[in-house]
Amino acid sequence: MSLYDRFEAAFMPNYGVPPVALARGEGCEVWDVDGNRYLDMIGGIAVSSLGHAHPALVEAVSRQVATIAHTSNLFLHEPEVLLAERLLGLLGGQGRVFLANSGTEANECAFKLALKYGKTTGRTYFVAAENAFHGRTMGALSLTGKPSIRDQFGPFPVDVRFVPYGDADALKNAVTDECAAVFLEPTQGEAGVVPPPDGYFRAAREICTAAGALLVADEIQSAIGRTGHWFAHQHEGVLPDILTLAKGLGGGMPIGACVGFGPAGTIFAKGDHGSTFGGNPVSAAAALAVLGTIENDGLLEHVRTVGAELADGIAAVDHPLLGGVRGRGLWRAIVLTSARSAQVQAAAQRAGFLVNALQPDAVRLAPPLTITSEQVATFVAALPAILDEASRD
Ligand SMILES: *Cc1c(COP(=O)(O)O)cnc(C)c1O
């Protein structure tokens, strides 16, 4: 039996069977179990910030696992303290951190902070955006504005009202002094890498401040250099009350973080929340290696440069299936003129590139932040033939 058949027989059917079985990676390249090589243009969904087997990550994780791998939250350790301080430093210094293991857990922490804030201030509902993705656990799922993955698991414990993403007037109308919190992605990721109109996030900040609602920025996909800034909300120069992070933070090791600013940093009292694994030393050491490498290697600047090369290169391709390109930095969607993203993903794979058919008409690119200009150029050069093949299938 092939590995694919064994996967199908052993696992729950929630993922279907993925199209490639990966065996190893090095830099921005990965190899499948049959020895085929691919340029990794999706980076484990914006996770493998430093690519694969990066020496800094290997060194940090190896050293930490050989020193002490786990303490639980009954005991503290230096890597988690260094990491929290480092994150706060990148965010302007003021705030408090909770460390979790994943994106949905980071949002679960934000959800509970907002619930407690609502209960103590008489605020009864949350606002989130249509098509938003915030995760799969029950709190995060209740905020996820995608009926196909949400509705069958309801009802949910909180009234969540959904507004069209990017419409500041609709947001303003939805946020009253009975609203506890507004949850927003600065650019919607799973919805198709969809940026809002300029000024939307700033308007959201003003609306929340005026109504006394918490603004929660879900930067689980957009943070840690992905857009060419440490955090996407920094493009608009506004600070949320609560920020959630995960994907790119650990460079492949599981870690999530929820940061509360100002009074939102001290909503929890002792005993209100916790995680056995959250902020474990190995993941914290990995995150420190990721942040240190981004800074030392000037990767934010690099992301802006190669991200523009990627977008400009795609935009310059003249093809009937190509509708355009959107997103920022190394976080892009190739927009198609018809619903052929699955065919594009398959054709790209045959040509040696891993991309993600995110929406029927949108293909996501989120390569390692370390991808080179030459590698980007290889992909751009291959794109016309990939689109040709995807049009024929
Ligand atoms: C991926 C993602 C999540 C969920 O993260 P998991 O680690 O899969 O639980 C939440 N919000 C956004 C914006 C995401 O992209």
Side-chain angles (χ1 to χ4, degrees):
M1 261 212 305
S2 79
L3 205 50
Y4 300 94
D5 294 335
R6 285 161 55 201
F7 180 99
E8 185 164 31
F11 283 102
M12 293 184 186
N14 54 306
Y15 294 121
V17 182
V20 183
L22 292 179
R24 68 185 180 90
E26 200 182 311
C28 298
E29 294 179 328
V30 290
W31 284 261
D32 69 17
V33 291
D34 299 316
N36 299 305
R37 182 174 59 137
Y38 306 89
L39 183 62
D40 184 2
M41 294 296 293
I42 186 59
I45 316 185
V47 165
S48 305
S49 322
L50 305 184
H52 304 275
H54 191 286
L57 193 66
V58 171
E59 196 279 327
V61 167
S62 312
R63 183 171 31 81
Q64 192 58 51
V65 79
T67 306
I68 186 165
H70 178 73
T71 66
S72 85
N73 46 54
L74 298 178
F75 310 98
L76 68 81
H77 55 90
E78 193 176 16
E80 68 180 348
V81 178
L82 289 171
L83 176 58
E85 290 173 345
R86 190 75 213 276
L87 287 173
L88 293 175
L90 296 174
L91 287 159
Q94 303 294 315
R96 300 290 191 98
V97 178
F98 175 82
L99 292 175
N101 310 286
S102 65
T104 202
E105 283 173 83
N107 278 343
E108 216 64 29
C109 175
F111 187 88
K112 284 176 68 177
L113 288 170
L115 261 187
K116 189 170 173 188
Y117 172 72
K119 288 214 164 129
T120 51
T121 55
R123 294 164 181 272
T124 53
Y125 70 94
F126 295 169
V127 170
E130 288 167 11
N131 298 319
F133 183 79
H134 295 294
R136 302 285 195 162
T137 54
M138 290 306 282
L141 186 60
S142 71
L143 298 160
T144 289
K146 230 178 138 181
S148 62
I149 61 179
R150 176 186 194 266
D151 287 0
Q152 60 174 320
F153 298 106
F156 297 97
V158 183
D159 174 14
V160 181
R161 302 183 188 169
F162 291 96
V163 293
Y165 185 71
D167 181 341
D169 290 334
L171 186 63
K172 188 160 199 226
N173 291 334
V175 180
T176 71
D177 60 6
E178 284 173 28
C179 174
V182 174
F183 289 76
L184 286 176
E185 299 160 84
T187 280
Q188 287 193 320
E190 296 307 301
V193 191
V194 184
D198 279 347
Y200 178 65
F201 211 69
R202 177 180 299 276
R205 173 68 281 174
E206 283 160 14
I207 289 163
C208 287
T209 303
L214 299 173
L215 175 61
V216 183
D218 179 344
E219 291 229 31
I220 286 163
Q221 193 160 156
S222 58
I224 316 299
R226 182 56 49 196
T227 65
H229 280 68
W230 284 109
F231 305 94
H233 71 263
Q234 293 173 335
H235 286 281
E236 295 216 27
V238 296
L239 197 63
D241 299 294
I242 296 173
L243 172 68
T244 56
L245 314 169
K247 290 192 168 82
L249 178 58
M253 293 298 289
I255 188 164
C258 178
V259 185
F261 301 100
T266 51
I267 290 171
F268 283 152
K270 189 176 174 186
D272 280 353
H273 197 49
S275 166
T276 300
F277 292 111
N280 96 80
V282 180
S283 290
L288 285 166
V290 168
L291 298 177
T293 303
I294 290 174
E295 176 157 343
N296 297 339
D297 293 1
L299 289 180
L300 298 182
E301 181 68 43
H302 175 75
V303 167
R304 283 178 235 147
T305 307
V306 292
E309 288 167 9
L310 178 61
D312 294 348
I314 295 167
V317 170
D318 183 17
H319 195 281
L321 187 52
L322 182 65
V325 56
R326 64 184 175 226
R328 266 200 176 112
L330 283 173
W331 194 33
R332 302 282 177 174
I334 301 174
V335 183
L336 305 176
T337 52
S338 64
R340 297 189 78 80
S341 69
Q343 288 87 344
V344 171
Q345 178 185 304
Q349 184 190 315
R350 287 190 290 270
F353 301 93
L354 298 185
V355 302
N356 169 231
L358 178 58
Q359 292 287 334
D361 65 348
V363 176
R364 174 168 46 188
L365 307 176
L369 308 184
T370 49
I371 193 167
T372 64
S373 291
E374 292 71 30
Q375 287 169 323
V376 162
T378 316
F379 175 74
V380 169
L383 190 58
I386 291 170
L387 294 172
D388 276 347
E389 191 179 326
S391 308
R392 274 199 302 274
D393 284 357

